Every structure is written in C-alpha cells, then in structure tokens.
Amino acid sequence: MSPLAHRRFLKMNGLGNEIVVLDLRGGDVRVQPDEARAIAADPASRFDQMMVLHDPVTPGTDAYVRIYNTDGSEAGACGNGTRCVAWAMLDDPVMARPAEADRLTLETRAGLLDVTRVSHLDFTVDMGAPRLAWDEIPLAEPFPDTRRIELQIGPIDDPVLHSPGAVSMGNPHAVFFVDRDPDAYDLARIGPLLESHPIFPDRANISLAQVIDRSHIRLRVWERGAGLTRACGTAACAALVAASRLRLTGREATVTLPGGDLRIAWGADDHVRMTGPTELEHEGTFAPSLFAAAPVEGATTAPAGAA
Ligand SMILES: N[C@@H](CCC[C@H](N)C(=O)O)C(=O)O
C-alpha cells in the first residue's frame, strides 16, 4: 500500500490557484510523480500545485517544501502555494507547531523564501531576486537581452504574440505584452505550444500581460505542468519585473488575475515581494484506492533535501 494512503491533507487556494498542502515532516516518504497525478485527478484533492512539507534541510529554516504540478513534474517555486503553506504551518491545528511565530523561512529547490503574515489570511512572500540571464532562466541559446526574446506565434509578418520578456522567479516564465484584454486570446490553445517550445529547455510558464497603467497589470497564465489557472504568484512577479525592465510600469503594481489581485513590489534590494490571500477549503485523507494504479515501487523513500 502507498505510504500516502490515509494521510491527511488540506485543500486550499490562493486566489483560486488550487493548492493541496501535505505534511510529510518527521519521516522519509517522498511523493512520486504517479502518486501526485493520482491525487490531482481526484476531485476532493484536485490541485494545480501540491506543496509537500519535509523536515528542514538548511539550519534555521522551518521546512523544506517540494512542489508538484498536476502532471507530476516538480517546480522550484510557487507563490500562491507558499502563502498557503505559511497559513497551514501557523494556523492549522495539526500542522502548526507552537514555537512558530508570524514569520517563516521555507526552502525549495530554488532557494530560501521568507514569509511574513500581514493579516489573518494574508501573507507577504519574499520571492528573492529575479534571474534574468539567459542561462539562468533557462533559454536554449544565448540572448544578451532577455527583456524581449526572439519568439513569436502566428503568421511571420503578422504574429499573434511575439517578443516576450523572459524571467526566472525560481521557475521559468515568458511574459507576452498584449494591448488587448488577455481574455481575447485562446491561451488554452497557444499555451501548450509555447510551454514546450524548444527555446525553453525546462519548459516555461506562459503569461499574457496587459499593462493598464504604470501600477496595474492584467494577467492570464498558462502554467507549466498545470495548464490554465486562476492565478499564478510567480507569474505575477515575473510580469512586474518584465514590465518594469521595459519601463512600462514602475517597480510596484497590482496584478489582476482571473482569481483576483496580488500586490507585487520589486525592491531596491532586488527582491520581489508578493502579497496576497489564502483560503482553506476543506481537509481530507487520501483513500488507499487512489494509489491502486500507481506502481508499488513508486512509493519509495528518499532524503527530503535531494534535488
Ligand atoms: N502557481 C504557482 C506556480 C507554479 C509552478 C509552475 N507551474 C511551474 O512549473 O513552474 C505560483 O503561484 O507561483
């Protein structure tokens, strides 16, 4: 039987970005891709990202968090999910530990993230510095200037989308600036084509950004490994960075996603901070039958810190 059978989880969301929080601290169980896909396929535990808590790896941090997409792939960063983890670690009666105050330092594959509570359900996450060099994003070939990279979709002389900004916020993003409402584009069709374009060796999250004014961006996102979502925190950060680099906005903006607003600030210290809400929907336990199709050898164990 899968070691995940009967495990308790929280179903949460950050602006409608569907998040499952699973606490595997205190053991060496690691979720396998088949298991993540099975959990995502169940309506009770459907997620865009599953945030899995493991024991801390770096001294002084509060947890190591593995982030799974719907397709079972792992991501280095998830802004909305990080806020949900903070709520769970501070307020959930089972996951919260008494010593924890209103600040946490979490570690992911992409590095350390400081989270601060700003009100009962709202948190600010210091998402760190954006990575802007072509090989850090990563792109498949050298681009000295990643503010606008050579990439387009549609007819060569009249492209539907072209010249996105490329940014890593711990995960790769391409941000296409559009002058119409992002809803006017068929992102469900365009997104998968661009996500897996050969220019992105690790695939990419694809955003359409309409700059409303210097402090307001409207955004829709096709997420790598998850598809269309109602919100994506790292994409909101990437959009602000990409817009600010082109002088389309200042260094602070409200980013309006289908699920609502995030406040993004790119500080003088180069760190990008994201503020937004969390919501607990329900808790549940994984039925053993969920993993019946997952290979038994998939339910293995591994050190939490191994990337
Ligand atoms: N929804 C997230 C981003 C999730 C990760 C992404 N799909 C990837 O694979 O990079 C967010 O809120 O940032």
Side-chain angles (χ1 to χ4, degrees), residues 14 17-19 48-49 67-71 73-83 127 170-173 195 202-205 222-227 229 231-236 262 274:
N17 199 184
E18 296 196 60
I19 304 293
D48 299 318
Q49 275 77 44
I67 304 166
Y68 294 83
N69 288 314
T70 311
D71 69 356
S73 62
E74 284 192 54
C78 174
N80 292 322
T82 302
R83 299 196 312 277
M127 301 294 298
N171 55 354
H173 289 270
E195 172 191 353
D202 293 348
R203 301 189 285 160
N205 298 284
W222 174 269
E223 280 193 22
R224 175 180 70 164
T229 58
C232 177
T234 48
L262 288 172
M274 173 205 61

Side-chain angles (χ1 to χ4, degrees), residues 51-284:
M51 312 293 288
V52 183
L53 309 188
H54 292 278
D55 290 322
V57 172
T58 300
T61 59
D62 295 289
Y64 188 93
V65 184
R66 286 189 175 276
I67 304 166
Y68 294 83
N69 288 314
T70 311
D71 69 356
S73 62
E74 284 192 54
C78 174
N80 292 322
T82 302
R83 299 196 312 277
C84 292
V85 166
W87 182 89
M89 288 182 67
L90 295 174
D91 282 5
D92 176 67
V94 178
M95 293 188 198
R97 300 193 173 161
E100 282 156 354
D102 272 359
R103 287 182 85 95
L104 293 168
T105 302
L106 304 173
E107 185 170 17
T108 73
R109 274 158 77 143
L112 305 188
L113 302 168
D114 285 327
V115 195
T116 313
R117 168 168 252 150
V118 292
S119 67
H120 179 44
L121 294 171
D122 292 339
F123 294 86
T124 296
V125 185
D126 179 344
M127 301 294 298
R131 292 161 216 175
L132 304 172
W134 70 271
D135 51 345
E136 295 176 313
I137 291 168
L139 301 174
E141 57 189 77
F143 279 93
D145 184 353
T146 54
R147 285 177 301 178
R148 289 194 184 277
I149 64 166
E150 216 173 290
L151 173 64
Q152 66 173 51
I153 192 160
I156 194 139
D157 51 353
D158 186 21
V160 180
L161 296 170
H162 65 93
S163 315
V167 177
S168 170
M169 288 305 314
N171 55 354
H173 289 270
V175 183
F176 290 88
F177 290 98
V178 293
D179 49 18
R180 287 185 290 158
D181 187 330
D183 280 339
Y185 296 82
D186 189 358
L187 189 53
R189 190 182 65 79
I190 298 167
L193 301 175
L194 291 168
E195 172 191 353
S196 298
H197 191 282
I199 198 71
F200 304 118
D202 293 348
R203 301 189 285 160
N205 298 284
I206 306 299
S207 291
L208 303 183
Q210 180 190 23
V211 175
I212 307 294
D213 61 41
R214 287 189 59 77
S215 58
H216 189 192
I217 298 171
R218 185 176 293 151
L219 194 71
R220 269 181 85 207
V221 186
W222 174 269
E223 280 193 22
R224 175 180 70 164
L228 284 180
T229 58
R230 292 186 56 71
C232 177
T234 48
C237 296
L240 185 268
V241 168
S244 177
R245 292 179 82 203
L246 291 169
R247 306 277 185 260
L248 300 173
T249 62
R251 288 175 71 104
E252 283 192 41
T254 298
V255 179
T256 299
L257 294 129
D261 289 352
L262 288 172
R263 191 77 203 146
I264 312 292
W266 187 11
D269 60 359
D270 200 27
H271 283 218
V272 183
R273 292 176 179 83
M274 173 205 61
T275 302
T278 59
E279 186 183 13
L280 173 64
E281 296 178 10
H282 58 259
E283 62 174 79

